[in-house]
Amino acid sequence: MSIQMEYNSYRRDHPIDSLERQLICPICLEMFTKPVVILPCQHNLCRKCANDIFQVSNPTCRKGSSRGTTLGSAGRFRCPSCRHEVVLDRHGVYGLQRNLLVENIIDIYKQESASSRPLLKTEHPSCEEHEEEKINIYCMTCGVPTCSLCKVFGEHKECEVAPLSDIYMKQKSALTDGIGALVATNDRIQVFIDNLQGTCKNIEVLHAQKQALCEKFDRMYAILEERRKIMLQRITYEQEEKTQHLKSLTRSYSEHTESSSKLVDAALQSMEELQMDVFVQVTISEVTQSCEVEALESGYDNMEHYAVDFNAEERVLYQLDFIKGERK
């Protein structure tokens, strides 16, 4: 917690704070400084502030000593608190009575303040129009800082003013709140940026989905390859079976044809035999032997039952896509 915040908290809670408000000069809006004068209307002013008002109200009055006091000239001015007309004799402001009670109270108050709470020291720039006056009030109407004389006699006479310290604390508090809000907003934005960067990294390293997709396609490739092998084996098996059967028949009938040719040759030779009994015994039984030919079934070489139609499957493959689930 800053010193100013601790000071504000102290001011709200400490009972002497109400006394402080009674010790504020209506001109400089600061605590009365010695010597304090009491006007005929019983209101108090710093002597310097009273002298400044007197000089502004009576510009023809002669300045006296080097201290800036007004001596040897009568004059008048109005009380800034109640507008009561204050008439001065030839002693001027120094003819006003000092309020020793208020001076003693201020001394006690300052001692108590010094021992119980920190006092903030600030530098006050001077007013451009009144060089000897410190800027100690804030014009609420014009929105500019100014001095007490500008409020009493200057261009801010009809304006609404407030102590510069109050405006300072108010604006400082608003700025503090604004900084806090800006920092909080930046923190929320940074958290959002971190989430975006984390999400981006998660998307960039999304290997699980890629791997699952590749595994699904590899599985379909394996199934297709397995089916291709099985169907090719079925065609190959029947092809080889029929080919072997036809080759076996071809070989058997070729052997039979060769044997028949030999018999023909032997029969032709036996035809030349002169002895009839020998001719009859040697050839008659072999020549009369016949060979029965095995007839193939109709369409034996037809392989159309192995035709395929994958149009429906191809359409399904072209429609492969991700699951269209509802986004949560």
Side-chain angles (χ1 to χ4, degrees), residues 166-319:
D166 293 350
I167 301 300
Y168 165 76
M169 293 307 302
K170 183 178 179 180
Q171 293 185 356
K172 186 175 182 181
S173 177
L175 181 60
T176 301
D177 294 341
I179 293 173
L182 182 60
V183 171
T185 301
N186 288 344
D187 291 342
R188 290 194 300 269
I189 293 176
Q190 186 60 49
V191 171
F192 183 68
I193 292 174
D194 294 341
N195 292 336
L196 290 178
Q197 293 176 346
T199 303
C200 184
K201 290 181 180 179
N202 292 337
I203 293 176
E204 290 176 352
V205 297
L206 209 58
H207 295 306
Q209 280 71 12
K210 291 183 179 180
Q211 183 177 359
L213 181 63
C214 292
E215 290 177 354
K216 293 294 183 182
F217 272 95
D218 291 342
R219 176 59 180 165
M220 286 192 294
Y221 296 154
I223 293 174
L224 290 174
E225 183 65 21
E226 182 179 0
R227 294 304 303 165
R228 186 181 70 86
K229 290 181 180 179
I230 292 175
M231 295 174 73
L232 284 176
Q233 286 177 355
R234 289 171 58 185
I235 296 175
T236 302
Y237 176 77
E238 185 169 342
Q239 181 186 23
E240 291 178 352
E241 183 182 20
K242 289 184 175 182
T243 300
Q244 292 298 329
H245 180 63
L246 293 174
K247 287 182 179 181
S248 176
L249 290 178
T250 300
R251 187 170 51 252
S252 176
Y253 289 129
S254 296
E255 291 175 355
H256 182 75
T257 301
E258 184 180 356
S259 178
S260 296
S261 297
K262 291 179 179 180
L263 286 175
V264 171
D265 292 339
L268 290 175
Q269 291 177 2
S270 65
M271 292 286 291
E272 298 176 358
E273 182 64 46
L274 298 176
Q275 297 181 358
M276 291 184 294
D277 55 343
V278 177
F279 170 77
V280 173
Q281 292 178 0
V282 174
T283 62
I284 191 64
S285 60
E286 294 179 2
V287 174
T288 56
Q289 293 179 356
S290 61
C291 178
E292 295 182 0
V293 178
E294 178 182 347
L296 296 176
E297 61 183 16
S298 178
Y300 187 77
D301 58 343
N302 187 358
M303 301 290 285
E304 292 181 355
H305 53 285
Y306 288 113
V308 294
D309 180 9
F310 291 154
N311 291 332
E313 288 76 6
E314 289 178 359
R315 287 194 294 270
V316 172
L317 290 175
Y318 277 116
Q319 294 175 356

